Amino acid sequence: MTNFPRAGVIGNPISHSLSPKLHGHWLRRYGIAGSYEAIQVKEDALQDTLRSLPEQGFVGLNVTLPHKVAVMQLADQLTDRATLIGAANTLTFKDDGRIFADNTDGYGFLENLRQGAPGWDAKAGPALVFGAGGAARAIIVSLIEAGVPEIILTNRTRPKAEALRADFGARIRIVDWVQSGTMLSDAATVVNTTSLGMRGGQEFRVSLDGLRSSAVVTDIVYNPLRTKFLDAAAEKGCTTVDGLGMLLHQGVPGFERWFGKRPEVDDDLRRAVLA
Ligand code: ATR
């Protein structure tokens, strides 16, 4: 048992995770005696791991793929947001042994947008969201909470978009993936939540020709930082926000709960995480 608080990130695989750099930078910056570790956990070892880590001095964890849904069953207390999204990314181990589960992805998404596009107004008009996977769930919940009047949702596999509308309600309008370009002129906010544009993968090919220059455009892909999707939007005169900040901001609530200091997201941190 250590005499300083330990935290970490669990997933499988885990070596690619940037969270150790993120939290490690904050621990150093604020001179906090604590640790943050990457822990590879196989699916069948999840329950035992969650029960044994608190005994080893762990005060909490970030959770990444493939465990974000499974940890919901193992937690004792869920935030409304985690329940609504159906997944958790931040766990806190309470002194009484209970596990508290939250989802901060939507918070990270909104904070990134607010920091990167200070004039962004959720209520300015519809949001066009590409993709209906796990990330889209958190982002849609946060956009609805922020007061976006309508979400135009488009996904290659339409039934997944329909499932999201069934969960999150009537403010969502679904359009076919091949028709999505025609919706651009309505959108005040445009979000890519798909993996398209990630280094080594397929490119985002929907033309952004119809985009209004007043739209704020953001991508959850951050490798590369400047995706073709963002470059195409910038060419139309839009304010663009890259996806790295979503990752950085989603870490803030966990760090504060575990280590007692609300950390800042700034250029120094971006450089440290990218180094
Ligand atoms: P995440 O949790 O990061 O959102 P995910 O749940 O696997 O990951 O979702 C990936 C998203 O990227 C989905 O919306 C997926 O579309 P499908 O539901 O049709 O699979 C989208 N996506 C991935 N590859 C794509 C491609 N080549 N063309 C269009 N959409 C793609």
Side-chain angles (χ1 to χ4, degrees):
M1 181 94 174
T2 55
N3 54 6
F4 55 79
R6 297 171 78 182
V9 56
I10 55 166
N12 187 24
I14 199 62
S15 56
H16 64 286
S17 173
L18 292 178
S19 291
K21 277 188 176 174
L22 167 63
H23 290 269
H25 177 84
W26 280 333
L27 285 169
R28 281 191 300 282
R29 178 193 288 184
Y30 300 115
I32 293 172
S35 72
Y36 188 98
E37 300 152 46
I39 308 166
Q40 187 174 11
V41 178
K42 297 206 176 105
E43 268 129 314
D44 59 5
L46 182 61
Q47 183 162 12
D48 287 348
T49 304
L50 290 189
R51 294 296 157 194
S52 70
L53 287 178
E55 293 161 15
Q56 299 168 45
F58 278 81
V59 291
L61 292 174
N62 285 123
V63 182
T64 187
L65 300 179
H67 303 311
K68 286 178 141 185
V69 175
V71 291
M72 299 286 284
Q73 302 295 326
L74 302 171
D76 303 291
Q77 208 184 337
L78 307 168
T79 60
D80 290 348
R81 189 163 303 165
T83 305
L84 200 57
I85 296 166
N89 72 336
T90 306
L91 305 180
T92 305
F93 301 133
K94 305 277 192 147
D95 290 340
D96 61 8
R98 287 183 309 150
I99 300 174
F100 172 78
D102 191 10
N103 192 313
T104 68
D105 285 333
Y107 164 86
F109 170 77
L110 284 183
E111 287 301 299
N112 183 39
L113 208 50
R114 289 182 175 132
Q115 189 175 40
W120 180 68
D121 175 11
K123 300 184 173 67
L128 176 57
V129 175
F130 292 95
R137 292 182 73 86
I139 287 169
I140 286 170
V141 167
S142 71
L143 285 170
I144 292 172
E145 277 178 8
V148 165
E150 183 184 37
I151 291 173
I152 304 167
L153 178 60
T154 184
N155 195 50
R156 173 181 61 176
T157 312
R158 187 178 167 121
K160 279 172 71 179
E162 280 160 2
L164 259 70
R165 184 174 53 186
D167 284 352
F168 302 137
R171 243 193 279 175
I172 299 176
R173 171 156 59 116
I174 297 168
V175 297
D176 277 338
W177 183 257
V178 288
Q179 298 291 321
S180 55
T182 63
M183 296 293 144
L184 283 162
S185 59
D186 289 345
T189 310
V190 180
V191 189
N192 174 39
T193 79
T194 75
S195 49
L196 292 170
M198 217 178 261
R199 199 181 298 285
Q202 286 186 47
E203 263 315 326
F204 188 99
R205 294 194 200 282
V206 177
S207 158
L208 298 186
D209 277 352
L211 203 54
R212 279 192 263 161
S213 62
S214 57
V216 171
V217 180
T218 185
D219 199 334
I220 69 160
V221 172
Y222 56 80
N223 183 18
L225 269 185
R226 293 301 307 178
T227 57
K228 293 217 168 94
F229 174 76
L230 290 181
D231 281 347
E235 269 172 36
K236 304 295 288 182
C238 299
T239 301
T240 59
V241 183
D242 71 52
L244 182 63
M246 177 175 170
L247 171 82
L248 306 182
H249 283 284
Q250 64 75 36
V252 168
F255 189 91
E256 184 177 21
R257 278 175 214 146
W258 308 324
F259 300 114
K261 166 81 192 169
R262 189 163 187 85
E264 295 207 22
V265 174
D266 56 16
D267 284 341
D268 244 18
L269 179 69
R270 285 175 68 91
R271 277 191 292 275
V273 168
L274 291 172

